[in-house]
Amino acid sequence: MKLNNKGLTIIESLLGLAMITIVGSFFISGMLGMKKVAKDSGTKNSLYKQINDVIENIRPNVRMYQINYATSDEERDKALQVDKLPMAWGNGTLSTAEQCPGCPGRYGYVIQAYPNMKGLYLVTVRMSHKDWATGTPTAEGTPTAVGTYGYMDYQFVVNAQ
C-alpha cells in the first residue's frame, strides 16, 4: 500500500509558522532596542556638547565674570541653589531662565579664587535638568519630588593670565 506523502500536515504548517513568528519577534524587539539606544546616545551627545559649550565659554574669559571670593563649600552651594540657577539650556538653546521658562535644563556657575594659588581660579558649573530629577519613589513608582531638577557639578581650574 502506497501513502501520499507529498503535502504538509496542519501540525507541521502550524509549527513552521510558530517558529517564523518567534524568530521575527526577536528580530523586531532587537531593532526597537537598537533604535532606543541610538536615540539615547544622540540625546547624551547633545547634552555633553551643551555642557562643553558652557564650560568653554567660561574658560578663556574668566576675567570677564564676577569672582566669588568665598572659599567654603557651603557658600558655593548656597550660590548654586538648583531652584535659583539663572541660566537655561535645552535642545541647542542657551539663554537666561527668564527668557526660556520652558527649557528643561538650568545652569549656573561660581568662580572662586583658588586657595593659596595666585592667578588660579576654581570654576564650579552646576548643570541641572528635569530628566535628572531625584526623589524617593512611591509605591506607584513616581518620585515624591515631581518637577524638581536633578543636577551635576563640573569643576575645573583656570589660569586668569
Side-chain angles (χ1 to χ4, degrees):
M1 190 182 339
K2 275 187 166 182
L3 295 174
N4 186 0
N5 290 333
K6 292 182 181 179
L8 296 175
T9 65
I10 292 177
I11 301 226
E12 292 171 329
S13 299
L14 288 175
L15 282 174
L17 183 63
M19 287 191 281
I20 290 171
T21 304
I22 290 170
V23 170
S25 67
F26 283 132
F27 178 75
I28 290 172
S29 67
M31 291 299 289
L32 292 175
M34 288 173 55
K35 257 181 149 176
K36 184 180 183 319
V37 167
K39 182 182 176 189
D40 291 346
S41 176
T43 302
K44 286 182 181 179
N45 282 340
S46 174
L47 165 70
Y48 292 131
K49 182 187 178 319
Q50 288 185 313
I51 291 170
N52 191 45
D53 288 347
V54 169
I55 290 171
E56 289 305 317
N57 187 31
I58 296 170
R59 189 183 306 263
N61 303 316
V62 74
R63 286 186 178 181
M64 297 176 63
Y65 296 97
Q66 180 177 353
I67 309 297
N68 179 348
Y69 288 98
T71 57
S72 73
D73 292 341
E74 293 82 23
E75 291 171 310
R76 181 178 59 235
D77 285 338
K78 184 178 177 186
L80 293 173
Q81 291 179 11
V82 176
D83 58 340
K84 294 185 174 139
L85 294 174
M87 303 301 289
W89 65 274
N91 281 342
T93 305
L94 293 174
S95 67
T96 65
E98 295 162 353
Q99 291 175 335
C100 189
C103 285
R106 298 282 185 265
Y107 75 94
Y109 50 85
V110 173
I111 302 171
Q112 299 170 288
Y114 204 76
N116 304 321
M117 298 287 196
K118 186 175 180 175
L120 293 181
Y121 295 95
L122 175 65
V123 180
T124 303
V125 179
R126 179 162 290 172
M127 303 289 291
S128 68
H129 198 278
K130 287 183 181 178
D131 289 347
W132 305 339
T134 57
T136 308
T138 61
E140 296 83 31
T142 57
T144 54
V146 174
T148 60
Y149 290 80
Y151 68 90
M152 289 188 276
D153 286 347
Y154 298 89
Q155 289 187 323
F156 54 95
V157 177
V158 294
N159 184 348
Q161 314 259 335

